[in-house]
mmCIF file of all heavy atoms in Angstrom:
data_model
loop_
_atom_site.group_PDB
_atom_site.id
_atom_site.type_symbol
_atom_site.label_atom_id
_atom_site.label_comp_id
_atom_site.label_asym_id
_atom_site.label_seq_id
_atom_site.Cartn_x
_atom_site.Cartn_y
_atom_site.Cartn_z
ATOM 1 N N ASP D 1 -5.531 -8.220 -8.077
ATOM 2 C CA ASP D 1 -6.130 -7.326 -9.068
ATOM 3 C C ASP D 1 -7.070 -8.090 -9.979
ATOM 4 O O ASP D 1 -6.687 -9.094 -10.578
ATOM 5 C CB ASP D 1 -5.035 -6.632 -9.875
ATOM 6 C CG ASP D 1 -4.117 -5.800 -8.987
ATOM 7 O OD1 ASP D 1 -4.615 -5.202 -8.015
ATOM 8 O OD2 ASP D 1 -2.907 -5.759 -9.265
ATOM 9 N N LYS D 2 -8.299 -7.606 -10.091
ATOM 10 C CA LYS D 2 -9.335 -8.304 -10.861
ATOM 11 C C LYS D 2 -9.725 -7.591 -12.150
ATOM 12 O O LYS D 2 -10.520 -8.114 -12.932
ATOM 13 C CB LYS D 2 -10.600 -8.486 -10.007
ATOM 14 C CG LYS D 2 -10.377 -9.217 -8.703
ATOM 15 C CD LYS D 2 -9.876 -10.613 -8.936
ATOM 16 C CE LYS D 2 -9.667 -11.350 -7.632
ATOM 17 N NZ LYS D 2 -8.829 -12.524 -7.778
ATOM 18 N N ASN D 3 -9.188 -6.373 -12.348
ATOM 19 C CA ASN D 3 -9.564 -5.606 -13.537
ATOM 20 C C ASN D 3 -8.591 -4.443 -13.715
ATOM 21 O O ASN D 3 -7.719 -4.218 -12.874
ATOM 22 C CB ASN D 3 -11.012 -5.104 -13.431
ATOM 23 C CG ASN D 3 -11.265 -4.376 -12.133
ATOM 24 O OD1 ASN D 3 -10.507 -3.502 -11.738
ATOM 25 N ND2 ASN D 3 -12.337 -4.742 -11.447
ATOM 26 N N LEU D 4 -8.765 -3.718 -14.795
ATOM 27 C CA LEU D 4 -7.890 -2.589 -15.111
ATOM 28 C C LEU D 4 -7.970 -1.518 -14.034
ATOM 29 O O LEU D 4 -6.953 -0.937 -13.655
ATOM 30 C CB LEU D 4 -8.258 -2.008 -16.478
ATOM 31 C CG LEU D 4 -7.448 -0.802 -16.934
ATOM 32 C CD1 LEU D 4 -5.953 -1.119 -17.019
ATOM 33 C CD2 LEU D 4 -7.970 -0.295 -18.283
ATOM 34 N N ARG D 5 -9.145 -1.259 -13.522
ATOM 35 C CA ARG D 5 -9.305 -0.257 -12.459
ATOM 36 C C ARG D 5 -8.397 -0.572 -11.280
ATOM 37 O O ARG D 5 -7.742 0.314 -10.729
ATOM 38 C CB ARG D 5 -10.769 -0.217 -12.007
ATOM 39 C CG ARG D 5 -11.130 0.843 -10.988
ATOM 40 C CD ARG D 5 -11.385 0.440 -9.542
ATOM 41 N NE ARG D 5 -11.527 -0.933 -9.210
ATOM 42 C CZ ARG D 5 -12.686 -1.553 -8.974
ATOM 43 N NH1 ARG D 5 -13.837 -0.919 -9.112
ATOM 44 N NH2 ARG D 5 -12.695 -2.820 -8.605
ATOM 45 N N ASP D 6 -8.336 -1.846 -10.889
ATOM 46 C CA ASP D 6 -7.496 -2.241 -9.754
ATOM 47 C C ASP D 6 -6.025 -1.928 -10.021
ATOM 48 O O ASP D 6 -5.310 -1.451 -9.136
ATOM 49 C CB ASP D 6 -7.646 -3.740 -9.461
ATOM 50 C CG ASP D 6 -9.015 -4.109 -8.933
ATOM 51 O OD1 ASP D 6 -9.788 -3.225 -8.516
ATOM 52 O OD2 ASP D 6 -9.320 -5.330 -8.930
ATOM 53 N N VAL D 7 -5.577 -2.186 -11.230
ATOM 54 C CA VAL D 7 -4.180 -1.935 -11.601
ATOM 55 C C VAL D 7 -3.887 -0.435 -11.572
ATOM 56 O O VAL D 7 -2.871 0.003 -11.011
ATOM 57 C CB VAL D 7 -3.860 -2.545 -12.984
ATOM 58 C CG1 VAL D 7 -2.465 -2.143 -13.455
ATOM 59 C CG2 VAL D 7 -3.998 -4.068 -12.952
ATOM 60 N N LEU D 8 -4.768 0.356 -12.158
ATOM 61 C CA LEU D 8 -4.551 1.801 -12.218
ATOM 62 C C LEU D 8 -4.616 2.440 -10.830
ATOM 63 O O LEU D 8 -3.818 3.324 -10.513
ATOM 64 C CB LEU D 8 -5.554 2.453 -13.165
ATOM 65 C CG LEU D 8 -5.528 1.955 -14.614
ATOM 66 C CD1 LEU D 8 -6.527 2.729 -15.460
ATOM 67 C CD2 LEU D 8 -4.134 2.008 -15.196
ATOM 68 N N ALA D 9 -5.552 1.976 -10.000
ATOM 69 C CA ALA D 9 -5.656 2.499 -8.635
ATOM 70 C C ALA D 9 -4.400 2.158 -7.837
ATOM 71 O O ALA D 9 -3.924 2.964 -7.030
ATOM 72 C CB ALA D 9 -6.904 1.951 -7.950
ATOM 73 N N HIS D 10 -3.844 0.991 -8.069
ATOM 74 C CA HIS D 10 -2.600 0.583 -7.408
ATOM 75 C C HIS D 10 -1.469 1.544 -7.780
ATOM 76 O O HIS D 10 -0.733 2.025 -6.901
ATOM 77 C CB HIS D 10 -2.251 -0.849 -7.810
ATOM 78 C CG HIS D 10 -0.938 -1.319 -7.293
ATOM 79 N ND1 HIS D 10 -0.793 -1.882 -6.048
ATOM 80 C CD2 HIS D 10 0.297 -1.305 -7.846
ATOM 81 C CE1 HIS D 10 0.483 -2.185 -5.857
ATOM 82 N NE2 HIS D 10 1.163 -1.847 -6.941
ATOM 83 N N LEU D 11 -1.328 1.830 -9.058
ATOM 84 C CA LEU D 11 -0.293 2.771 -9.507
ATOM 85 C C LEU D 11 -0.497 4.142 -8.873
ATOM 86 O O LEU D 11 0.458 4.770 -8.407
ATOM 87 C CB LEU D 11 -0.303 2.886 -11.033
ATOM 88 C CG LEU D 11 0.057 1.619 -11.818
ATOM 89 C CD1 LEU D 11 -0.176 1.844 -13.308
ATOM 90 C CD2 LEU D 11 1.483 1.181 -11.540
ATOM 91 N N TYR D 12 -1.739 4.595 -8.848
ATOM 92 C CA TYR D 12 -2.076 5.891 -8.249
ATOM 93 C C TYR D 12 -1.663 5.938 -6.774
ATOM 94 O O TYR D 12 -1.058 6.905 -6.320
ATOM 95 C CB TYR D 12 -3.586 6.155 -8.393
ATOM 96 C CG TYR D 12 -4.090 7.239 -7.489
ATOM 97 C CD1 TYR D 12 -3.910 8.582 -7.808
ATOM 98 C CD2 TYR D 12 -4.721 6.924 -6.280
ATOM 99 C CE1 TYR D 12 -4.359 9.587 -6.956
ATOM 100 C CE2 TYR D 12 -5.166 7.917 -5.433
ATOM 101 C CZ TYR D 12 -4.976 9.236 -5.772
ATOM 102 O OH TYR D 12 -5.406 10.231 -4.921
ATOM 103 N N GLU D 13 -1.989 4.905 -6.034
ATOM 104 C CA GLU D 13 -1.688 4.888 -4.599
ATOM 105 C C GLU D 13 -0.182 4.920 -4.340
ATOM 106 O O GLU D 13 0.274 5.551 -3.392
ATOM 107 C CB GLU D 13 -2.330 3.683 -3.917
ATOM 108 C CG GLU D 13 -3.835 3.796 -3.767
ATOM 109 C CD GLU D 13 -4.289 4.907 -2.817
ATOM 110 O OE1 GLU D 13 -3.483 5.394 -1.988
ATOM 111 O OE2 GLU D 13 -5.463 5.309 -2.902
ATOM 112 N N TRP D 14 0.594 4.251 -5.198
ATOM 113 C CA TRP D 14 2.047 4.294 -5.032
ATOM 114 C C TRP D 14 2.590 5.682 -5.379
ATOM 115 O O TRP D 14 3.551 6.144 -4.782
ATOM 116 C CB TRP D 14 2.724 3.169 -5.812
ATOM 117 C CG TRP D 14 2.675 1.910 -4.990
ATOM 118 C CD1 TRP D 14 1.620 1.050 -4.860
ATOM 119 C CD2 TRP D 14 3.703 1.415 -4.130
ATOM 120 N NE1 TRP D 14 1.943 0.045 -3.981
ATOM 121 C CE2 TRP D 14 3.216 0.239 -3.524
ATOM 122 C CE3 TRP D 14 4.986 1.840 -3.827
ATOM 123 C CZ2 TRP D 14 3.974 -0.512 -2.618
ATOM 124 C CZ3 TRP D 14 5.749 1.093 -2.933
ATOM 125 C CH2 TRP D 14 5.232 -0.064 -2.331
ATOM 126 N N HIS D 15 1.959 6.364 -6.315
ATOM 127 C CA HIS D 15 2.327 7.761 -6.569
ATOM 128 C C HIS D 15 2.081 8.587 -5.312
ATOM 129 O O HIS D 15 2.912 9.425 -4.938
ATOM 130 C CB HIS D 15 1.487 8.351 -7.708
ATOM 131 C CG HIS D 15 1.878 7.891 -9.067
ATOM 132 N ND1 HIS D 15 1.072 8.134 -10.162
ATOM 133 C CD2 HIS D 15 2.951 7.216 -9.533
ATOM 134 C CE1 HIS D 15 1.648 7.638 -11.241
ATOM 135 N NE2 HIS D 15 2.793 7.070 -10.880
ATOM 136 N N GLN D 16 0.936 8.346 -4.677
ATOM 137 C CA GLN D 16 0.601 9.111 -3.475
ATOM 138 C C GLN D 16 1.609 8.859 -2.353
ATOM 139 O O GLN D 16 1.965 9.784 -1.618
ATOM 140 C CB GLN D 16 -0.825 8.771 -2.993
ATOM 141 C CG GLN D 16 -1.913 9.164 -3.958
ATOM 142 C CD GLN D 16 -1.782 10.590 -4.449
ATOM 143 O OE1 GLN D 16 -1.812 11.538 -3.667
ATOM 144 N NE2 GLN D 16 -1.609 10.757 -5.748
ATOM 145 N N LEU D 17 2.054 7.606 -2.225
ATOM 146 C CA LEU D 17 3.081 7.302 -1.224
ATOM 147 C C LEU D 17 4.308 8.188 -1.432
ATOM 148 O O LEU D 17 4.826 8.792 -0.489
ATOM 149 C CB LEU D 17 3.506 5.836 -1.305
ATOM 150 C CG LEU D 17 2.577 4.782 -0.765
ATOM 151 C CD1 LEU D 17 3.149 3.394 -1.043
ATOM 152 C CD2 LEU D 17 2.341 4.972 0.727
ATOM 153 N N LEU D 18 4.777 8.234 -2.667
ATOM 154 C CA LEU D 18 5.976 9.017 -2.983
ATOM 155 C C LEU D 18 5.737 10.505 -2.738
ATOM 156 O O LEU D 18 6.551 11.174 -2.098
ATOM 157 C CB LEU D 18 6.411 8.794 -4.435
ATOM 158 C CG LEU D 18 7.634 9.631 -4.798
ATOM 159 C CD1 LEU D 18 8.892 8.787 -4.709
ATOM 160 C CD2 LEU D 18 7.491 10.241 -6.159
ATOM 161 N N LEU D 19 4.634 11.025 -3.242
ATOM 162 C CA LEU D 19 4.340 12.451 -3.094
ATOM 163 C C LEU D 19 4.241 12.850 -1.623
ATOM 164 O O LEU D 19 4.839 13.849 -1.202
ATOM 165 C CB LEU D 19 3.046 12.802 -3.844
ATOM 166 C CG LEU D 19 3.115 12.691 -5.369
ATOM 167 C CD1 LEU D 19 1.711 12.708 -5.976
ATOM 168 C CD2 LEU D 19 3.983 13.789 -5.964
ATOM 169 N N ASP D 20 3.497 12.070 -0.842
ATOM 170 C CA ASP D 20 3.347 12.375 0.587
ATOM 171 C C ASP D 20 4.685 12.299 1.313
ATOM 172 O O ASP D 20 5.006 13.148 2.148
ATOM 173 C CB ASP D 20 2.350 11.404 1.248
ATOM 174 C CG ASP D 20 0.930 11.600 0.763
ATOM 175 O OD1 ASP D 20 0.627 12.641 0.136
ATOM 176 O OD2 ASP D 20 0.102 10.691 1.005
ATOM 177 N N TRP D 21 5.465 11.271 0.994
ATOM 178 C CA TRP D 21 6.756 11.049 1.640
ATOM 179 C C TRP D 21 7.726 12.194 1.362
ATOM 180 O O TRP D 21 8.330 12.751 2.287
ATOM 181 C CB TRP D 21 7.314 9.718 1.149
ATOM 182 C CG TRP D 21 8.667 9.353 1.621
ATOM 183 C CD1 TRP D 21 9.049 9.102 2.905
ATOM 184 C CD2 TRP D 21 9.824 9.146 0.802
ATOM 185 N NE1 TRP D 21 10.389 8.753 2.934
ATOM 186 C CE2 TRP D 21 10.880 8.771 1.655
ATOM 187 C CE3 TRP D 21 10.064 9.234 -0.564
ATOM 188 C CZ2 TRP D 21 12.156 8.493 1.183
ATOM 189 C CZ3 TRP D 21 11.329 8.949 -1.033
ATOM 190 C CH2 TRP D 21 12.361 8.581 -0.165
ATOM 191 N N VAL D 22 7.857 12.557 0.101
ATOM 192 C CA VAL D 22 8.796 13.620 -0.253
ATOM 193 C C VAL D 22 8.345 14.952 0.336
ATOM 194 O O VAL D 22 9.130 15.660 0.982
ATOM 195 C CB VAL D 22 8.990 13.728 -1.791
ATOM 196 C CG1 VAL D 22 9.807 14.964 -2.155
ATOM 197 C CG2 VAL D 22 9.661 12.469 -2.334
ATOM 198 N N HIS D 23 7.074 15.307 0.144
ATOM 199 C CA HIS D 23 6.590 16.599 0.645
ATOM 200 C C HIS D 23 6.719 16.692 2.162
ATOM 201 O O HIS D 23 7.150 17.729 2.687
ATOM 202 C CB HIS D 23 5.145 16.850 0.210
ATOM 203 C CG HIS D 23 4.988 17.109 -1.254
ATOM 204 N ND1 HIS D 23 5.713 18.055 -1.942
ATOM 205 C CD2 HIS D 23 4.177 16.535 -2.173
ATOM 206 C CE1 HIS D 23 5.361 18.052 -3.222
ATOM 207 N NE2 HIS D 23 4.432 17.130 -3.386
ATOM 208 N N SER D 24 6.360 15.634 2.870
ATOM 209 C CA SER D 24 6.456 15.656 4.335
ATOM 210 C C SER D 24 7.890 15.857 4.782
ATOM 211 O O SER D 24 8.172 16.700 5.648
ATOM 212 C CB SER D 24 5.908 14.355 4.933
ATOM 213 O OG SER D 24 4.523 14.275 4.724
ATOM 214 N N ASN D 25 8.802 15.099 4.215
ATOM 215 C CA ASN D 25 10.203 15.207 4.619
ATOM 216 C C ASN D 25 10.810 16.550 4.221
ATOM 217 O O ASN D 25 11.615 17.103 4.953
ATOM 218 C CB ASN D 25 11.008 14.026 4.070
ATOM 219 C CG ASN D 25 10.790 12.773 4.902
ATOM 220 O OD1 ASN D 25 11.272 12.674 6.013
ATOM 221 N ND2 ASN D 25 10.011 11.835 4.374
ATOM 222 N N GLN D 26 10.411 17.079 3.077
ATOM 223 C CA GLN D 26 10.894 18.407 2.676
ATOM 224 C C GLN D 26 10.419 19.485 3.652
ATOM 225 O O GLN D 26 11.094 20.489 3.841
ATOM 226 C CB GLN D 26 10.405 18.760 1.273
ATOM 227 C CG GLN D 26 11.155 18.075 0.158
ATOM 228 C CD GLN D 26 10.621 18.491 -1.210
ATOM 229 O OE1 GLN D 26 9.415 18.623 -1.417
ATOM 230 N NE2 GLN D 26 11.531 18.693 -2.145
ATOM 231 N N ASN D 27 9.252 19.254 4.244
ATOM 232 C CA ASN D 27 8.695 20.226 5.189
ATOM 233 C C ASN D 27 9.123 19.958 6.625
ATOM 234 O O ASN D 27 8.538 20.517 7.559
ATOM 235 C CB ASN D 27 7.161 20.238 5.086
ATOM 236 C CG ASN D 27 6.687 20.807 3.761
ATOM 237 O OD1 ASN D 27 7.326 21.694 3.207
ATOM 238 N ND2 ASN D 27 5.591 20.286 3.254
ATOM 239 N N GLY D 28 10.116 19.089 6.805
ATOM 240 C CA GLY D 28 10.658 18.831 8.129
ATOM 241 C C GLY D 28 9.909 17.805 8.949
ATOM 242 O O GLY D 28 10.237 17.576 10.114
ATOM 243 N N GLU D 29 8.889 17.211 8.374
ATOM 244 C CA GLU D 29 8.129 16.169 9.074
ATOM 245 C C GLU D 29 8.701 14.821 8.645
ATOM 246 O O GLU D 29 8.375 14.308 7.570
ATOM 247 C CB GLU D 29 6.643 16.267 8.707
ATOM 248 C CG GLU D 29 5.781 15.257 9.411
ATOM 249 C CD GLU D 29 4.350 15.254 8.883
ATOM 250 O OE1 GLU D 29 3.865 16.309 8.441
ATOM 251 O OE2 GLU D 29 3.737 14.168 8.899
ATOM 252 N N GLU D 30 9.561 14.264 9.489
ATOM 253 C CA GLU D 30 10.234 13.023 9.132
ATOM 254 C C GLU D 30 9.248 11.869 9.113
ATOM 255 O O GLU D 30 8.537 11.620 10.093
ATOM 256 C CB GLU D 30 11.350 12.736 10.146
ATOM 257 C CG GLU D 30 12.519 12.033 9.526
ATOM 258 C CD GLU D 30 13.697 11.939 10.481
ATOM 259 O OE1 GLU D 30 14.236 12.995 10.844
ATOM 260 O OE2 GLU D 30 14.034 10.802 10.825
ATOM 261 N N MET D 31 9.189 11.196 7.985
ATOM 262 C CA MET D 31 8.324 10.021 7.883
ATOM 263 C C MET D 31 8.950 9.019 6.925
ATOM 264 O O MET D 31 9.651 9.398 5.994
ATOM 265 C CB MET D 31 6.909 10.411 7.445
ATOM 266 C CG MET D 31 6.745 10.796 5.990
ATOM 267 S SD MET D 31 5.043 11.271 5.587
ATOM 268 C CE MET D 31 4.382 9.750 4.934
ATOM 269 N N PRO D 32 8.699 7.732 7.161
ATOM 270 C CA PRO D 32 9.228 6.699 6.266
ATOM 271 C C PRO D 32 8.418 6.640 4.972
ATOM 272 O O PRO D 32 7.289 7.132 4.918
ATOM 273 C CB PRO D 32 9.060 5.409 7.080
ATOM 274 C CG PRO D 32 7.899 5.679 7.982
ATOM 275 C CD PRO D 32 7.951 7.153 8.286
ATOM 276 N N PHE D 33 8.991 6.020 3.950
ATOM 277 C CA PHE D 33 8.278 5.890 2.677
ATOM 278 C C PHE D 33 6.984 5.102 2.859
ATOM 279 O O PHE D 33 5.931 5.509 2.382
ATOM 280 C CB PHE D 33 9.175 5.211 1.634
ATOM 281 C CG PHE D 33 8.516 5.085 0.294
ATOM 282 C CD1 PHE D 33 8.413 6.172 -0.539
ATOM 283 C CD2 PHE D 33 7.978 3.875 -0.126
ATOM 284 C CE1 PHE D 33 7.789 6.079 -1.776
ATOM 285 C CE2 PHE D 33 7.350 3.765 -1.356
ATOM 286 C CZ PHE D 33 7.261 4.862 -2.185
ATOM 287 N N LEU D 34 7.070 3.962 3.518
ATOM 288 C CA LEU D 34 5.875 3.153 3.775
ATOM 289 C C LEU D 34 5.248 3.610 5.087
ATOM 290 O O LEU D 34 5.934 3.698 6.105
ATOM 291 C CB LEU D 34 6.224 1.665 3.847
ATOM 292 C CG LEU D 34 6.776 1.053 2.566
ATOM 293 C CD1 LEU D 34 7.159 -0.408 2.808
ATOM 294 C CD2 LEU D 34 5.790 1.160 1.421
ATOM 295 N N PRO D 35 3.957 3.893 5.079
ATOM 296 C CA PRO D 35 3.305 4.374 6.304
ATOM 297 C C PRO D 35 3.183 3.258 7.350
ATOM 298 O O PRO D 35 3.127 2.072 7.008
ATOM 299 C CB PRO D 35 1.935 4.823 5.806
ATOM 300 C CG PRO D 35 1.675 3.992 4.591
ATOM 301 C CD PRO D 35 3.031 3.769 3.955
ATOM 302 N N GLU D 36 3.138 3.665 8.597
ATOM 303 C CA GLU D 36 2.902 2.715 9.692
ATOM 304 C C GLU D 36 1.558 2.034 9.453
ATOM 305 O O GLU D 36 0.638 2.675 8.955
ATOM 306 C CB GLU D 36 2.868 3.456 11.034
ATOM 307 C CG GLU D 36 4.198 4.034 11.439
ATOM 308 C CD GLU D 36 5.210 2.973 11.846
ATOM 309 O OE1 GLU D 36 4.799 1.880 12.284
ATOM 310 O OE2 GLU D 36 6.411 3.233 11.706
ATOM 311 N N PRO D 37 1.388 0.796 9.722
ATOM 312 C CA PRO D 37 2.312 -0.126 10.371
ATOM 313 C C PRO D 37 3.113 -0.973 9.370
ATOM 314 O O PRO D 37 3.669 -1.998 9.741
ATOM 315 C CB PRO D 37 1.360 -1.032 11.153
ATOM 316 C CG PRO D 37 0.170 -1.162 10.233
ATOM 317 C CD PRO D 37 0.050 0.193 9.557
ATOM 318 N N TYR D 38 3.218 -0.533 8.124
ATOM 319 C CA TYR D 38 3.799 -1.363 7.073
ATOM 320 C C TYR D 38 5.305 -1.204 6.974
ATOM 321 O O TYR D 38 5.868 -0.182 7.344
ATOM 322 C CB TYR D 38 3.147 -1.044 5.727
ATOM 323 C CG TYR D 38 1.644 -1.186 5.779
ATOM 324 C CD1 TYR D 38 0.812 -0.076 5.771
ATOM 325 C CD2 TYR D 38 1.062 -2.443 5.878
ATOM 326 C CE1 TYR D 38 -0.563 -0.208 5.846
ATOM 327 C CE2 TYR D 38 -0.317 -2.583 5.958
ATOM 328 C CZ TYR D 38 -1.118 -1.463 5.945
ATOM 329 O OH TYR D 38 -2.473 -1.600 6.030
ATOM 330 N N ASN D 39 5.937 -2.246 6.452
ATOM 331 C CA ASN D 39 7.363 -2.215 6.152
ATOM 332 C C ASN D 39 7.560 -3.024 4.872
ATOM 333 O O ASN D 39 6.590 -3.499 4.269
ATOM 334 C CB ASN D 39 8.197 -2.754 7.330
ATOM 335 C CG ASN D 39 7.826 -4.176 7.696
ATOM 336 O OD1 ASN D 39 7.726 -5.060 6.835
ATOM 337 N ND2 ASN D 39 7.610 -4.422 8.980
ATOM 338 N N TRP D 40 8.815 -3.206 4.463
ATOM 339 C CA TRP D 40 9.066 -3.882 3.182
ATOM 340 C C TRP D 40 8.739 -5.376 3.225
ATOM 341 O O TRP D 40 8.659 -6.024 2.190
ATOM 342 C CB TRP D 40 10.501 -3.630 2.710
ATOM 343 C CG TRP D 40 10.670 -2.198 2.311
ATOM 344 C CD1 TRP D 40 11.382 -1.241 2.960
ATOM 345 C CD2 TRP D 40 10.067 -1.539 1.196
ATOM 346 N NE1 TRP D 40 11.264 -0.022 2.316
ATOM 347 C CE2 TRP D 40 10.457 -0.187 1.227
ATOM 348 C CE3 TRP D 40 9.212 -1.956 0.164
ATOM 349 C CZ2 TRP D 40 10.042 0.747 0.278
ATOM 350 C CZ3 TRP D 40 8.804 -1.027 -0.790
ATOM 351 C CH2 TRP D 40 9.216 0.307 -0.718
ATOM 352 N N ARG D 41 8.515 -5.931 4.410
ATOM 353 C CA ARG D 41 8.076 -7.329 4.504
ATOM 354 C C ARG D 41 6.558 -7.441 4.472
ATOM 355 O O ARG D 41 6.027 -8.492 4.136
ATOM 356 C CB ARG D 41 8.621 -7.985 5.777
ATOM 357 C CG ARG D 41 10.113 -8.297 5.706
ATOM 358 C CD ARG D 41 10.593 -9.075 6.918
ATOM 359 N NE ARG D 41 10.357 -8.385 8.180
ATOM 360 C CZ ARG D 41 11.111 -7.411 8.694
ATOM 361 N NH1 ARG D 41 12.164 -6.985 8.045
ATOM 362 N NH2 ARG D 41 10.803 -6.865 9.851
ATOM 363 N N THR D 42 5.868 -6.356 4.845
ATOM 364 C CA THR D 42 4.405 -6.418 4.964
ATOM 365 C C THR D 42 3.667 -5.504 3.992
ATOM 366 O O THR D 42 2.454 -5.334 4.113
ATOM 367 C CB THR D 42 3.972 -6.058 6.403
ATOM 368 O OG1 THR D 42 4.351 -4.698 6.680
ATOM 369 C CG2 THR D 42 4.589 -7.005 7.432
ATOM 370 N N TYR D 43 4.391 -4.936 3.030
ATOM 371 C CA TYR D 43 3.723 -3.977 2.133
ATOM 372 C C TYR D 43 2.633 -4.630 1.284
ATOM 373 O O TYR D 43 1.739 -3.948 0.784
ATOM 374 C CB TYR D 43 4.721 -3.213 1.261
ATOM 375 C CG TYR D 43 5.338 -3.999 0.138
ATOM 376 C CD1 TYR D 43 4.771 -3.994 -1.127
ATOM 377 C CD2 TYR D 43 6.495 -4.752 0.328
ATOM 378 C CE1 TYR D 43 5.333 -4.709 -2.168
ATOM 379 C CE2 TYR D 43 7.063 -5.468 -0.699
ATOM 380 C CZ TYR D 43 6.475 -5.450 -1.942
ATOM 381 O OH TYR D 43 7.028 -6.162 -2.968
ATOM 382 N N GLY D 44 2.672 -5.952 1.147
ATOM 383 C CA GLY D 44 1.591 -6.641 0.431
ATOM 384 C C GLY D 44 0.247 -6.403 1.106
ATOM 385 O O GLY D 44 -0.779 -6.254 0.429
ATOM 386 N N ASP D 45 0.249 -6.346 2.439
ATOM 387 C CA ASP D 45 -0.982 -6.053 3.177
ATOM 388 C C ASP D 45 -1.460 -4.632 2.875
ATOM 389 O O ASP D 45 -2.663 -4.386 2.782
ATOM 390 C CB ASP D 45 -0.757 -6.206 4.686
ATOM 391 C CG ASP D 45 -0.418 -7.642 5.084
ATOM 392 O OD1 ASP D 45 -0.777 -8.576 4.343
ATOM 393 O OD2 ASP D 45 0.218 -7.811 6.145
ATOM 394 N N MET D 46 -0.523 -3.717 2.726
ATOM 395 C CA MET D 46 -0.865 -2.342 2.375
ATOM 396 C C MET D 46 -1.514 -2.312 0.982
ATOM 397 O O MET D 46 -2.512 -1.618 0.765
ATOM 398 C CB MET D 46 0.391 -1.470 2.396
ATOM 399 C CG MET D 46 0.156 -0.028 2.028
ATOM 400 S SD MET D 46 1.700 0.900 1.901
ATOM 401 C CE MET D 46 2.440 0.131 0.452
ATOM 402 N N ASN D 47 -0.955 -3.079 0.064
ATOM 403 C CA ASN D 47 -1.526 -3.134 -1.287
ATOM 404 C C ASN D 47 -2.951 -3.672 -1.268
ATOM 405 O O ASN D 47 -3.798 -3.210 -2.041
ATOM 406 C CB ASN D 47 -0.649 -3.988 -2.199
ATOM 407 C CG ASN D 47 0.626 -3.287 -2.594
ATOM 408 O OD1 ASN D 47 0.690 -2.061 -2.635
ATOM 409 N ND2 ASN D 47 1.662 -4.062 -2.885
#
């Protein structure tokens, strides 16, 4: 992160992860919290 925009955009994107994950699963579309191809070891690449 090089500036405030980067920090705020990061927070926004993590909100989107949660919103997409919950809504998809509530609608019967099973999906993991972290989108493919990421996992908890590689989420830094997603960031």
